[in-house]
Amino acid sequence: MMLSSTPSAIARSSLEEMLESIRRRGEEEKPEDLPPALPTRPTSRARLPSARRSLPNKFRIEGDQNATTRSKNNSNAKAKEETKKKEGDVGHRRKGSFASKKMKQDMESPYIVTSEENISQSSSEDPVSASTASTATSGKIQELDGDDNVAYYIKTKLSVWCRPPSGKWALGQIQSTSGGEAFVSLSHGDIMKVARSEILPANPDILEGVDDLIQLSYLNEPSVLHNLRFRYSQDMIYNKAGPVLIALNPFKEIQIYGNDYISAYRQKTTDSPHVFAMADVAFNEMMRDEVNQSIIISGESGSGKTETAKFAMKYLAALSGSSCGVEKEVLQTNCILEAFGNAKTSRNDNSSRFGKLIEIHFSTLGRICGAKIQTFLLEKSRVVQLASGERTYHIFYQLCAGSSPDLKGRLNLKGASEYKYLNQSDCMKIDGIDDTKKFHKLMKALDDVRICKEDQEIVFKMIAAILWLGNISFRVTDNENHIEVADDEAVANAAQLMGCSSQDLMVTLSTRKIQAGKDTISKRLTLWQATDTRDGLAKFIYASLFDWLVEQINKSLEVGKRCTGRSISILDIYGFESFQKNSFEQFCINYANERLQQHFNRHLFKLEQDDYELDGVDWNKVDFEDNQECLDLFEKKPLGLISLLDEESNFPKATDQTFANKIRQHLNANPCFKGERGRAFRVRHYAGEVSYDTNGFLEKNRDPLPPDSLKLLSSCNCQLLQLFSKMIDQSKLSNSSHVGASGSQKQSVGTKFKGQLFKLMNQLEGTTPHFIRCIKPNTKHLAGIYDEDLVLQQLRCCGVLEVVRISRAGYPTRMMHQEFARRYGFLLSEASVSQDPLSISVSVLQQFNIPPEMYQVGYTKLYLRTGQIGVLEDRRKQIILGILGVQKWLRGHQARRNFHVLKNGAIALQSIVRGEIVRKTYHSMKSASIASEKLQQTQAITRLQSVIRGWLVRRRASSLLHMLKKDSKNAKAKQKSRFKMSEVKDLNKEQVQNLPSTLTELQNRVVKAEATLKQKEEENTALKEQLKQFETRWIEYEMKMKSMEQMWQKQMTSLQKSLSVARRSLAAENSTDQPGRCDAMSPCFYDSEDATSVESRTPAGSTPIKFPSTPYANGARKEATDTFNAVSNLMKEFEQRKQTFDDDAKALLAARSGQPAHMNPSEELRQLKRRFEGWKKEYKGRLRETKARLSKTGSPEAEISCQNWWGKISSRGL
């Protein structure tokens, strides 16, 4: 049974009463000072007042043994632990390893400073804290000192690190010593003499390449550098330094971010250091503890912070379980912000020129439900001013390279090299980067975050307007350097894109209006002032556009009602920068990094060690470099850098030189400040000393925008520019409400940035931080190069070694006694334990045999070393699984029992329902059985009726078929059918008299059959009507055929006349040799069409023709005879064909309805016509042949007469 540990149910123990009295006595003490603008620790952390309290000597715990006995046991255990450390604390031991050999030799290690006497002494002073006496020294490694230590290393031939005059650490072995010097044999064989103070112990080979620096036996700078270098050479870029993740920039693509790696870290199949592992820890703690988390990514410029943040977001989106929707929009924001906020610098090709905090919100199920982006201090000066080899923001180059021809035409765009803002640095492209592809990805990202096409077009218009503003040139008009604007295409295009007139733009850039009382004076600007006005307008438009774009993205990612209060914030802010010439931007950037370093120190050094002290845990403080003095230099009022800068900015006649003189005058006493000659000064940051040039500090801090420029923007047709001008007016009003009479002054950039930074720190203080330190291995941005000095400098700045020492010696797991008892109290097997949380906590630790040196008991918390909480969690999971098993069995038993009860009830209900159904069925069947006889009779009658109906229908069908053959037969068939029907009726009457009374209804059916017969007669009448219609159609066909017959008769008559003429012409030719016969063949006969028909003239009835007896005459006579015979044959054939066609036509006319149904008169008529046409064509050809033969045998006169005859025949259309 789980023990209750709520305050109302727990009895107050003597320890709690003592702690309450301590709290009351310490209430009047002043609390510890906190950093500026940072809140106190949350109350849930249960911090005590800042007074060191120790447990009393007679400290007792209920349910535990005597504390003194436990202290002695602790000291004995600690002595054994120290003995083990003397043999070599290697971390992971294996057979045959370097550490196991040392154990066999049973030699003391010379690197343990604390002796057993010190341990026993500390045990006697504080029994409870003696359990950690040996751990206080495990973090700090001493150099080899003393002859015994050197002799030990010479004898065992162990490796050491030595620093040669070159300054780089080298690995070797000590050969001999001489006074304060030692001779070391280096790995490449050379022997070097070095000071003994420059020698540090090296770790055994078994620890080479460990992924957590805590596992190193000897934690010193060369060992850490060597371990990082070894892993970096094998593309293992992630390393752990206690709670901090170290990420080295590989400067190349490494395939460790795919879906397989995401699955591995989600399923906990790997635990190697990775940004995925850090994001997974943050996600799990958020879901488990319901506390907001933060991932703070820091490092120098070019160390890979932006890419690391993108990978962390990618993993969190994958944990959400979806690649579309809000998750996709959150990931696409990286593409947009990089295009508008990143640029190429001398140290980084994709440097973030602004800071951003992405707050990702999650639902109760762990899915991303929205996000919010905050940005800090965009570097506006990069829009108008570039150093050699650098580029402005990526969007300018991407728009010029990737926009479509249509978009370029609308924006009047040219190539990037045509614009002065872009070509001043002589750097147009970045190696390996395609601006066209980047622009297409940007367009897709804008679509994904739901920014409409119209807004996208306006954004690109503003970018193009800024480019054309940079191309506006000025001409000096007098000796006072006054200018006028050159009216060229730059002015026209800029004005068109901004939505104003060219004249208004030129006036704004060349003059400034000054209010003198009620009068307004227009003052001409000098070349420097006009250039500053133009650049200020361009910077204002771009900065306002960037803020507006972030606002639109936040609207798209807005959480709204889905907000659950669970979030993970990812901070990606510009890294520490130190150039040859550092200006106001580097001043603000390095100040932000100082504040982040303070946050890092606060959580990993100050708060942790303060917790140990305030909660009564024995602890030796680890020294670290605190940057509070540097922060005071920036933030302290009224003599801080930012305060003095604001004060000097308010003076109209102040210059950068006066500002430099003022800070030298007031800040020389600060150890982090150093004034120099001229306008320069130096600040000692946590990462090193940086020299700043105050040139431009006042102007950039004021960030002025003349009223004329604001008026121009408000008069533009572009709604976005009008919105920007309204935002400035609103900010002025808000400032005036805060600062009173001096509110007309615009808030300075430095003060605004300081407020944003304090707000950011305040937000981060409410989260559980997770730190990622990005390291830049070289300044050349090349893969495989490892600069030890550069890496060591960054490690020192990050305080990595101190973090590892604290983590190794400290207690990373800490829980309130109430929370520990509530979570693990049910694991106790004894029920006699006191119910106060402290007793329960100690009893749990004792029951599971947690070694005393692995935990410490504080006033309010229980402190555990790394890995100890895992033992309790594993046992808790096992017991919970057992409890769940019992609960599962019990729930199953209850469910089965309830199921059987429900089953029995269902069976009883089903039996009742089935009985009712059977009874209803029985009653229905009973009532149906009564009518079964009537049903049989009805079926018999129906069967008889069906037989009669069939017989009647068949008979009527046969009569109808007979009626359709002939009209006369139809009438007879009708009379017979009536007679037969009457007979059938008489017969039916006789049969009905003999049938039983049940056949009475059959007569009614017969009457119905008669009605059906009448209906059939009506149908027959309809069929007769159809037959009449068919006869009408036959009459029409007959008329058509008669007309065809008449036409054929005419054609035949024409043919007969033609044959008669031909015959007469032949007779005239034959009589040419007989003068007495000339008159008989008159030419007028040929032209006569009323001559006697050819039928009355036959060759047999003609007069015999006599021909002369000459040979020529005989031959001619023979040919004429043959021709005459041919004509006679043609006439005979004509008569036969005429008779045939006449017969066929009469046969078609005589066809009637009684003929077979397969005959088709129309088709027969068409066939007859085709035969006639074919014969006519053939017959015409033979007539032509006969004409030719006549023309050969006849005289010229006869030929002429024949030609006349054939001409007439042709004209008639034979």
Side-chain angles (χ1 to χ4, degrees):
M1 179 177 179
M2 187 172 180
L3 298 175
S4 175
S5 59
T6 58
S8 61
I10 298 176
R12 294 177 61 85
S13 63
S14 59
L15 177 62
E16 289 178 327
E17 294 178 355
M18 178 193 67
L19 293 177
E20 184 65 26
S21 63
I22 292 174
R23 291 190 182 95
R24 286 196 299 268
R25 288 196 302 269
E27 285 180 353
E28 298 179 357
E29 298 182 9
K30 184 179 180 180
E32 182 183 0
D33 293 335
L34 296 177
L38 291 179
T40 58
R41 291 291 296 275
T43 56
S44 60
R45 297 180 183 271
R47 296 189 65 186
L48 293 176
S50 58
R52 176 67 182 271
R53 308 293 182 187
S54 59
L55 292 176
N57 294 331
K58 296 182 180 181
F59 173 72
R60 297 289 184 275
I61 300 177
E62 297 184 25
D64 193 3
Q65 296 179 355
N66 185 280
T68 306
T69 305
R70 189 172 67 84
S71 302
K72 292 181 180 179
N73 294 337
N74 291 349
S75 62
N76 295 335
K78 184 55 61 180
K80 294 180 181 180
E81 181 69 17
E82 290 298 330
T83 304
K84 293 180 181 179
K85 287 182 176 292
K86 293 173 185 178
E87 294 172 354
D89 186 7
V90 180
H92 298 288
R93 302 185 181 279
R94 294 182 292 184
K95 291 184 178 180
S97 65
F98 180 68
S100 61
K101 290 181 180 178
K102 291 176 65 178
M103 292 173 64
K104 291 178 181 178
Q105 292 174 359
D106 197 17
M107 293 185 180
E108 293 184 358
S109 174
Y111 306 109
I112 304 301
V113 179
T114 305
S115 61
E116 294 184 4
E117 295 179 358
N118 296 334
I119 298 173
S120 60
Q121 182 179 357
S122 62
S123 300
S124 62
E125 292 176 355
D126 194 348
V128 177
S129 62
S131 61
T132 57
S134 64
T135 63
T137 59
S138 60
K140 206 166 188 176
I141 305 300
Q142 307 292 332
E143 68 272 2
L144 296 179
D145 191 13
D147 294 338
D148 294 340
N149 294 346
V150 174
Y152 171 79
Y153 258 71
I154 294 175
K155 184 175 181 179
T156 56
K157 296 182 179 181
L158 296 178
S159 298
V160 295
W161 292 103
C162 62
R163 188 194 298 272
S166 61
K168 294 185 178 181
W169 293 95
L171 190 64
Q173 294 180 353
I174 302 176
Q175 299 296 323
S176 61
T177 60
S178 175
E181 297 178 343
F183 295 92
V184 179
S185 176
L186 302 180
S187 57
H188 51 75
D190 295 342
I191 296 178
M192 182 176 295
K193 182 172 68 173
V194 296
R196 292 175 61 174
S197 60
E198 298 294 332
I199 298 177
L200 294 176
N203 290 285
D205 295 340
I206 192 175
L207 296 180
E208 188 173 32
V210 293
D211 56 10
D212 194 344
L213 299 181
I214 291 179
Q215 300 176 11
L216 295 177
S217 298
Y218 307 118
L219 187 65
N220 47 50
E221 290 181 354
S223 296
V224 172
L225 286 174
H226 176 72
N227 193 76
L228 295 179
R229 183 191 193 105
F230 178 82
R231 291 177 59 81
Y232 182 73
S233 63
Q234 299 182 358
D235 291 339
M236 293 184 288
I237 62 174
Y238 292 107
N239 303 268
K240 286 190 68 177
V244 180
L245 178 67
I246 299 177
L248 278 77
N249 192 343
F251 293 115
K252 64 178 182 180
E253 291 187 3
I254 301 179
Q255 303 302 324
I256 57 173
Y257 303 103
N259 294 329
D260 51 342
Y261 281 87
I262 293 177
S263 301
Y265 284 98
R266 289 182 64 178
Q267 300 171 5
K268 308 295 188 296
T269 57
T270 181
D271 58 352
S272 59
H274 200 285
V275 63
F276 290 167
M278 180 69 76
D280 187 73
V281 170
F283 180 81
N284 291 332
E285 290 186 8
M286 177 195 68
M287 299 300 295
R288 181 189 65 202
D289 302 334
E290 297 185 0
V291 177
N292 293 340
Q293 309 290 311
S294 61
I295 301 176
I296 302 174
I297 306 172
S298 58
E300 289 191 7
S301 178
S303 58
K305 300 184 298 301
T306 300
E307 294 299 320
T308 303
K310 288 162 62 175
F311 289 132
M313 293 172 63
K314 176 182 178 181
Y315 184 79
L316 293 177
L319 286 180
S320 184
S322 176
S323 60
C324 59
V326 180
E327 296 84 359
K328 184 178 181 180
E329 293 180 19
V330 171
L331 294 179
Q332 289 289 21
T333 58
N334 291 316
C335 179
I336 301 173
L337 295 178
E338 280 190 21
F340 287 87
N342 287 28
K344 180 186 183 302
T345 64
S346 59
R347 295 188 176 183
N348 187 3
D349 291 342
N350 189 33
S351 177
S352 297
R353 308 316 300 164
F354 71 106
K356 67 174 178 288
L357 177 71
I358 302 178
E359 187 178 1
I360 304 175
H361 294 269
F362 293 83
S363 64
T364 54
L365 299 178
R367 296 185 178 275
I368 295 178
C369 60
K372 182 181 180 181
I373 300 175
Q374 301 178 39
T375 58
F376 313 98
L377 192 65
L378 178 70
E379 187 182 5
K380 296 187 290 185
S381 61
R382 181 166 292 273
V383 176
V384 300
Q385 187 177 2
L386 297 175
S388 178
E390 294 188 352
R391 296 204 320 175
T392 185
Y393 295 103
H394 297 322
I395 181 59
F396 292 100
Y397 307 92
Q398 294 173 4
L399 180 63
C400 293
S403 58
S404 62
D406 185 31
L407 181 59
K408 286 183 178 179
R410 293 196 300 271
L411 303 180
N412 299 321
L413 269 181
K414 295 183 178 180
S417 59
E418 299 292 330
Y419 296 103
K420 294 179 182 179
Y421 280 163
L422 305 184
N423 60 23
Q424 58 180 310
S425 63
D426 295 330
C427 180
M428 295 291 108
K429 295 184 178 180
I430 302 176
D431 295 337
I433 301 298
D434 188 347
D435 289 324
T436 301
K437 292 182 179 179
K438 289 286 186 180
F439 183 75
H440 294 159
K441 291 182 179 179
L442 172 64
M443 297 288 287
K444 184 177 184 302
L446 291 173
D447 293 335
D448 290 340
V449 298
R450 301 194 299 275
I451 295 179
C452 63
K453 293 295 184 181
E454 292 77 10
D455 289 345
Q456 295 180 26
E457 181 106 2
I458 294 176
V459 170
F460 297 145
K461 275 187 178 181
M462 295 300 98
I463 298 297
I466 292 172
L467 292 177
W468 283 114
L469 280 175
N471 278 15
I472 295 178
S473 57
F474 306 100
R475 290 193 296 267
V476 179
T477 59
D478 53 24
N479 295 332
E480 295 181 1
N481 211 22
H482 292 152
I483 57 92
E484 65 178 11
V485 180
D487 189 4
D488 52 11
E489 65 169 349
V491 175
N493 291 334
Q496 177 187 353
L497 294 170
M498 294 171 62
C500 64
S501 65
S502 301
Q503 188 63 29
D504 291 344
L505 180 59
M506 294 170 64
V507 171
T508 302
L509 297 181
S510 59
T511 62
R512 182 167 299 170
K513 294 180 180 180
I514 301 175
Q515 193 74 23
K518 296 182 179 180
D519 299 330
T520 302
I521 302 174
S522 180
K523 180 182 177 182
R524 297 177 63 188
L525 299 180
T526 62
L527 178 61
W528 177 80
Q529 291 173 337
T531 303
D532 214 22
T533 302
R534 179 198 64 188
D535 294 345
L537 184 61
K539 290 189 293 184
F540 173 78
I541 292 175
Y542 189 79
S544 302
L545 178 65
F546 183 80
D547 294 339
W548 176 84
L549 194 59
V550 172
E551 182 181 355
Q552 298 305 309
I553 294 175
N554 285 335
K555 288 181 180 179
S556 176
L557 303 178
E558 191 174 6
V559 182
K561 297 181 180 179
R562 299 173 293 175
C563 183
T564 60
R566 301 181 180 181
S567 66
I568 298 178
S569 300
I570 301 177
L571 178 64
D572 174 21
I573 202 166
Y574 17 57
F576 184 83
E577 292 183 349
S578 177
F579 303 110
Q580 292 182 354
K581 182 179 180 181
N582 300 282
S583 187
F584 180 74
E585 288 78 16
Q586 284 71 39
F587 176 82
C588 295
I589 288 173
N590 294 338
Y591 164 54
N593 279 269
E594 286 288 348
R595 175 52 68 188
L596 287 176
Q597 182 67 23
Q598 175 71 8
H599 183 73
F600 178 80
N601 294 340
R602 174 178 167 80
H603 280 271
L604 294 185
F605 298 137
K606 288 183 179 180
L607 296 181
E608 184 158 350
Q609 298 193 83
D610 289 348
D611 274 349
Y612 294 154
E613 292 183 5
L614 296 175
D615 220 16
V617 176
D618 185 68
W619 175 260
N620 291 336
K621 294 193 68 173
V622 175
D623 296 330
F624 62 92
E625 184 177 355
D626 192 0
N627 65 337
Q628 186 60 50
E629 290 183 349
C630 187
L631 285 176
D632 292 339
L633 175 65
F634 279 89
E635 301 171 348
K636 191 175 181 180
K637 291 183 179 181
L639 298 178
L641 283 173
I642 296 178
S643 298
L644 293 175
L645 180 59
D646 287 347
E647 179 182 339
E648 198 70 10
S649 298
N650 291 331
F651 293 125
K653 296 184 179 181
T655 62
D656 296 329
Q657 184 63 52
T658 60
F659 169 66
N661 296 335
K662 178 175 285 189
I663 60 176
R664 277 198 299 269
Q665 178 183 355
H666 294 285
L667 300 177
N668 268 334
N670 192 301
C672 295
F673 179 83
K674 182 180 180 182
E676 295 185 350
R677 289 184 178 181
R679 297 174 300 189
F681 66 94
R682 287 182 175 271
V683 176
R684 181 169 59 84
H685 293 280
Y686 74 95
E689 205 172 78
V690 179
S691 176
Y692 297 99
D693 187 355
T694 60
N695 184 24
F697 264 54
L698 296 181
E699 194 70 19
K700 292 178 180 178
N701 188 52
R702 294 169 183 155
D703 192 24
L705 187 66
D708 297 341
S709 299
L710 281 177
K711 184 177 180 181
L712 174 68
L713 294 178
S714 61
S715 65
C716 292
N717 295 332
C718 180
Q719 296 180 356
L720 202 57
L721 293 178
Q722 295 178 5
L723 177 62
F724 296 162
S725 63
K726 292 179 182 178
M727 291 169 59
I728 289 293
D729 296 336
Q730 292 175 0
S731 64
K732 285 184 177 181
L733 292 175
S734 62
N735 291 336
S736 62
S737 63
H738 287 89
V739 298
S742 60
S744 59
Q745 293 290 339
K746 178 184 175 182
Q747 189 180 25
S748 67
V749 174
T751 302
K752 181 180 178 181
F753 180 64
K754 178 182 175 182
Q756 290 179 340
L757 201 56
F758 281 0
K759 182 180 178 181
L760 171 64
M761 293 296 109
N762 197 7
Q763 184 175 350
L764 293 178
E765 280 293 323
T767 64
T768 301
H770 304 269
F771 295 97
I772 301 179
R773 290 293 194 179
C774 296
I775 303 296
K776 181 169 60 175
N778 63 80
T779 58
K780 298 180 180 179
H781 301 174
L782 298 177
I785 299 178
Y786 185 86
D787 188 345
E788 290 187 354
D789 293 337
L790 180 63
V791 174
L792 181 59
Q793 177 190 0
Q794 296 174 78
L795 291 177
R796 287 173 178 172
C797 295
C798 298
V800 170
L801 299 181
E802 289 77 7
V803 171
V804 174
R805 292 190 181 109
I806 288 180
S807 300
R808 177 150 58 177
Y811 302 89
T813 304
R814 61 201 69 182
M815 299 180 69
M816 300 290 295
H817 293 309
Q818 291 85 351
E819 182 183 356
F820 189 88
R822 184 166 52 250
R823 187 170 182 83
Y824 303 106
F826 73 96
L827 300 178
L828 289 175
S829 57
E830 299 179 1
S832 60
V833 179
S834 177
Q835 298 301 304
D836 65 279
L838 181 60
S839 301
I840 294 175
S841 301
V842 175
S843 300
V844 170
L845 295 174
Q846 290 179 348
Q847 177 173 323
F848 289 96
N849 298 323
I850 303 297
E853 64 272 12
M854 303 307 291
Y855 68 90
Q856 285 221 34
V857 180
Y859 296 149
T860 60
K861 298 177 186 176
L862 187 67
Y863 297 84
L864 298 171
R865 290 194 184 276
T866 304
Q868 301 308 311
I869 198 68
V871 177
L872 299 177
E873 280 293 322
D874 292 341
R875 183 59 180 166
R876 180 176 179 272
K877 289 180 180 179
Q878 292 177 1
I879 294 179
I880 288 178
L881 290 177
I883 294 173
L884 291 177
V886 174
Q887 291 176 348
K888 178 175 64 176
W889 181 88
L890 179 60
R891 291 191 184 100
H893 173 72
Q894 292 177 347
R896 285 188 292 272
R897 185 181 62 185
N898 295 336
F899 171 75
H900 288 301
V901 172
L902 293 175
K903 182 180 178 181
N904 295 332
I907 292 174
L909 181 61
Q910 289 174 355
S911 63
I912 295 173
V913 173
R914 289 193 184 101
E916 184 65 22
I917 293 173
V918 169
R919 283 188 289 273
K920 288 182 179 180
T921 305
Y922 170 76
H923 289 301
S924 62
M925 291 177 64
K926 183 177 180 181
S927 60
S929 62
I930 297 174
S932 60
E933 295 180 358
K934 294 183 178 180
L935 179 62
Q936 293 177 358
Q937 294 177 359
T938 303
Q939 291 177 352
I941 294 170
T942 303
R943 189 178 299 109
L944 180 60
Q945 289 174 352
S946 64
V947 172
I948 295 174
R949 290 193 194 98
W951 174 73
L952 292 174
V953 170
R954 285 191 294 274
R955 187 185 63 180
R956 188 63 182 167
S958 61
S959 64
L960 289 175
L961 289 176
H962 186 70
M963 289 170 62
L964 291 175
K965 292 182 180 179
K966 290 183 179 180
D967 293 339
S968 59
K969 292 182 180 180
N970 288 339
K972 295 179 181 180
K974 185 176 181 181
Q975 293 177 358
K976 292 180 179 180
S977 63
R978 290 178 180 175
F979 177 74
K980 290 181 179 179
M981 182 58 66
S982 61
E983 291 180 354
V984 171
K985 288 182 179 179
D986 297 337
L987 181 61
N988 287 338
K989 290 180 181 180
E990 294 176 359
Q991 292 176 353
V992 167
Q993 292 176 358
N994 298 327
L995 288 175
S997 59
T998 56
L999 296 180
T1000 303
E1001 191 174 352
L1002 182 59
Q1003 294 178 355
N1004 298 331
R1005 297 296 182 182
V1006 173
V1007 173
K1008 290 183 180 180
E1010 291 179 352
T1012 303
L1013 183 59
K1014 291 181 180 179
Q1015 183 179 0
K1016 295 299 181 179
E1017 289 179 353
E1018 293 176 356
E1019 292 178 358
N1020 188 20
T1021 304
L1023 291 175
K1024 287 182 178 181
E1025 293 295 332
Q1026 292 180 1
L1027 184 59
K1028 290 180 179 180
Q1029 293 177 3
F1030 290 150
E1031 289 178 352
T1032 304
R1033 293 178 62 183
W1034 274 111
I1035 293 172
E1036 292 176 358
Y1037 290 148
E1038 192 174 37
M1039 293 175 64
K1040 288 181 181 180
M1041 293 180 68
K1042 287 182 179 181
S1043 61
M1044 291 296 296
E1045 184 180 3
Q1046 293 175 0
M1047 183 181 67
W1048 291 340
Q1049 289 293 338
K1050 291 180 181 180
Q1051 291 181 358
M1052 290 297 181
T1053 304
S1054 176
L1055 287 175
Q1056 289 175 357
K1057 291 179 179 180
S1058 299
L1059 288 174
S1060 300
V1061 172
R1063 185 176 180 180
R1064 290 191 184 98
S1065 61
L1066 289 175
E1069 290 175 0
N1070 293 330
S1071 62
T1072 52
D1073 294 335
Q1074 299 176 6
R1077 301 289 303 263
C1078 292
D1079 296 334
M1081 301 298 291
S1082 177
C1084 64
F1085 175 80
Y1086 297 111
D1087 299 330
S1088 176
E1089 294 181 4
D1090 299 328
T1092 307
S1093 177
V1094 180
E1095 295 177 359
S1096 61
R1097 295 177 180 270
T1098 58
S1102 62
T1103 305
I1105 303 174
K1106 293 181 180 181
F1107 300 95
S1109 61
T1110 61
Y1112 177 80
N1114 293 332
R1117 186 180 299 110
K1118 184 178 181 181
E1119 292 179 2
T1121 303
D1122 294 337
T1123 303
F1124 182 78
N1125 293 333
V1127 172
S1128 300
N1129 294 332
L1130 288 174
M1131 291 177 64
K1132 291 180 181 180
E1133 182 179 356
F1134 178 81
E1135 294 295 335
Q1136 293 175 359
R1137 287 288 184 177
K1138 178 178 178 298
Q1139 186 65 34
T1140 301
F1141 288 138
D1142 289 341
D1143 295 340
D1144 292 339
K1146 290 178 180 179
L1148 288 175
L1149 290 174
R1152 289 291 185 269
S1153 58
Q1155 291 180 351
H1158 61 82
M1159 290 184 64
N1160 190 348
S1162 299
E1163 183 65 25
E1164 294 291 336
L1165 182 62
R1166 283 192 293 271
Q1167 292 179 3
L1168 179 61
K1169 185 176 180 180
R1170 284 196 296 271
R1171 289 199 303 271
F1172 175 75
E1173 292 293 338
W1175 171 80
K1176 178 181 177 182
K1177 184 176 180 181
E1178 181 185 359
Y1179 191 77
K1180 207 170 184 180
R1182 284 188 285 176
L1183 284 177
R1184 290 193 185 95
E1185 292 177 359
T1186 305
K1187 175 187 174 184
R1189 292 173 62 184
L1190 289 173
S1191 61
K1192 289 181 181 180
T1193 56
S1195 59
E1197 293 81 1
E1199 290 180 3
I1200 293 172
S1201 62
C1202 288
Q1203 290 177 358
N1204 294 333
W1205 177 73
W1206 287 113
K1208 293 180 181 180
I1209 295 299
S1210 300
S1211 64
R1212 292 176 183 174
L1214 180 63

